């Protein structure tokens, strides 16, 4: 079930290894391979794999493209990921980090590229987030994401506008899903990146179903919703852009220095 001719690189990996590393609603190897069709990666480049889950995408990037990868995730243990990386004989170029995407422990302009697989929707919809992330990328460096999304925006208040066939599956948190064109506007309006690509995967809904039928066959609600939707609203989207040289980024504000000085509360009588 994890064989898909659309993704020949991914097909080289043991299905049991892929299934054991499942951490979300998408096959991380398929999405990484698809995203890297529009991202130029060269051996020795420093890559931040942001929201890497169980680091399958990080290991894939190292083995397939020879890049150095900082496998960074908040939810999954760096110790577990480090062991998986070691067992995959990728420890010479993949480094496990447990960190919050909003408080990344890296130097400015440290990375040549940031890759994010089926994770960015959980934090990247914030209008200010791209500014915080871009400072870790060299000017001219790449920021690219791929994951679940909409084929077109659903207008109006949610969940009132959700199609009937999706209502059993839909929950409030899914309002973070957006279309490729929404992401293009979201990034472009910041002036921080030039968007090179924003599109959706052809028949991506079928790959979505195939993944769930393999790793979560009991998830009948989601599988049924995807089958009924038939790609009308749901699928996979990818966006890739480059940090604009010469753009001045705002420093992030984590706290305001205390400057309290006592003053009387009431006017003197």
């Amino acid at each position: 079930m994890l064989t898909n001719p659309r993704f020949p690189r991914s097909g080289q990996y043991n299905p049991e290894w892929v299934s054991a590393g499942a951490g979300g609603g998408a096959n991380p190897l398929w999405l990484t391979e698809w995203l890297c069709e529009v991202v130029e990666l060269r051996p020795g480049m420093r890559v931040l794999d942001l929201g890497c889950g169980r680091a399958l995408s990080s290991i894939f990037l190292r083995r397939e493209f020879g890049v150095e990868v900082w496998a960074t995730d908040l939810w999954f243990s760096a110790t577990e990921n480090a062991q998986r990386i070691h067992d995959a004989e990728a420890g010479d170029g993949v480094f496990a980090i447990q960190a919050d995407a909003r408080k990344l422990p890296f130097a400015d302009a440290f990375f040549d590229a940031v890759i994010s697989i089926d994770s960015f929707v959980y934090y990247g919809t914030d209008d200010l987030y791209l500014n915080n992330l871009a400072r870790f990328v060299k000017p001219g460096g790449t920021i690219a994401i791929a994951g679940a999304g909409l084929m077109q925006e659903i207008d109006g208040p949610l969940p009132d506008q959700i199609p009937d066939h999706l209502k059993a599956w839909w929950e409030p948190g899914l309002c973070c899903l957006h279309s490729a064109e929404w992401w293009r506007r979201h990034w472009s309006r910041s002036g921080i990146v030039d968007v090179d690509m924003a599109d959706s995967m052809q028949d991506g809904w079928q790959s979505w179903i195939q993944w769930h039928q393999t790793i979560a066959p009991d998830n009948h609600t989601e599988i049924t919703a995807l089958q009924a939707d038939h790609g009308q609203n749901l699928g996979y989207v990818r966006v890739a852009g480059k940090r604009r040289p010469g753009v001045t980024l705002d420093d992030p504000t984590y706290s305001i220095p205390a400057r309290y000085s006592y003053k009387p509360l009431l006017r003197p009588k």
Side-chain angles (χ1 to χ4, degrees), residues 43-115:
M45 292 177 68
R46 292 175 176 172
V47 176
L48 170 59
D49 186 2
L50 185 58
C52 68
R54 291 194 165 95
L56 268 63
S57 52
S58 305
I59 294 167
F60 181 88
L61 288 167
R62 175 62 178 171
R63 291 181 56 88
E64 298 299 319
F65 301 99
V67 295
E68 295 184 338
V69 187
W70 277 255
T72 304
D73 198 274
L74 175 62
W75 295 343
F76 292 94
S77 164
T79 301
E80 176 192 337
N81 281 347
Q83 185 63 54
R84 182 175 292 104
I85 291 163
H86 174 270
D87 292 345
E89 300 181 352
D92 61 336
V94 183
F95 314 104
I97 304 289
Q98 191 160 6
D100 189 329
R102 298 180 181 275
K103 294 185 178 180
L104 294 171
F106 304 112
D108 289 358
F110 184 77
F111 294 105
D112 298 288
V114 174
I115 301 292

Side-chain angles (χ1 to χ4, degrees), residues 3 15 34 43 45 48 60 62 66 99 125 129 131 146 191 195 217 219 224 244 265 269:
T3 300
W34 180 53
M45 292 177 68
L48 170 59
F60 181 88
R62 175 62 178 171
T125 56
Y129 183 73
N131 176 91
V195 178
N219 189 359
T224 299
R244 284 184 176 179
L265 176 64
K269 294 183 178 179

Side-chain angles (χ1 to χ4, degrees), residues 216-231:
D218 294 333
N219 189 359
H220 301 297
T221 301
E222 186 163 341
I223 292 172
T224 299
L226 289 164
Q227 290 172 332
D229 189 64
H230 207 75

Side-chain angles (χ1 to χ4, degrees), residues 49 161 178 186 213:
D49 186 2
Q161 301 302 315
H178 289 287
H186 185 58
Q213 287 177 333

